[in-house]
């Protein structure tokens, strides 16, 4: 579990490019974001995840989900420039 995050309220189905649906795995998504935060000291994967999950809905496409994560990171750049690196890494994912 991710400390301080209520995963029960995130029962969101992701629609993949081939049309299949799968329940969102917030732990996996957190790990992807956390990996993008590696070796950066003033960033928080949880802050990005929280914001991204606020902006998605049941039936969201995989592409829109990752776009939400990238935009959530990008909006934090003004507050902390190191999010620029996180955003770039997320774009490469």
């Amino acid at each position: 579990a991710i400390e301080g995050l209520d995963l029960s309220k995130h029962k969101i189905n992701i629609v993949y490019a081939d049309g299949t649906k799968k329940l969102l795995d917030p732990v996996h998504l957190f790990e992807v974001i956390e990996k993008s935060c590696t070796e950066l000291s003033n960033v928080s994967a949880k802050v990005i995840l929280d914001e991204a999950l606020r902006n998605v809905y049941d039936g969201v496409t995989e592409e829109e989900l990752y776009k939400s994560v990238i935009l959530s990171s990008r909006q934090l750049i003004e507050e902390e420039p190191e999010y620029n690196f996180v955003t770039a890494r997320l774009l490469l994912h």
Side-chain angles (χ1 to χ4, degrees):
I2 304 163
E3 189 176 322
L5 184 63
D6 179 10
L7 300 179
S8 66
K9 66 181 179 181
H10 298 294
K11 301 293 185 211
I12 298 168
N13 286 294
I14 307 302
V15 178
Y16 293 90
D18 64 2
T20 59
K21 287 183 180 181
K22 188 175 173 189
L23 199 59
L24 169 68
D25 179 356
V27 174
H28 171 73
L29 187 58
F30 177 76
E31 288 168 352
V32 169
I33 298 167
E34 195 172 45
K35 186 175 180 189
S36 297
C37 295
T38 302
E39 296 181 10
L40 300 172
S41 57
N42 298 317
V43 297
S44 168
K46 186 184 172 308
V47 169
I48 297 169
L49 180 65
D50 283 343
E51 184 60 30
L53 291 178
R54 260 189 231 107
N55 298 311
V56 295
Y57 52 91
D58 188 44
V60 67
T61 64
E62 181 182 28
E63 182 182 345
E64 288 295 319
L65 172 65
Y66 281 102
K67 202 178 285 185
S68 177
V69 170
I70 291 163
L71 292 174
S72 296
S73 177
R74 191 177 86 181
Q75 75 181 14
L76 295 165
I77 293 170
E78 195 172 304
E79 183 180 310
E80 172 49 66
E82 284 193 340
Y83 281 104
N84 197 24
F85 298 108
V86 178
T87 304
R89 291 172 181 175
L90 287 167
L91 278 165
L92 291 172
H93 177 79

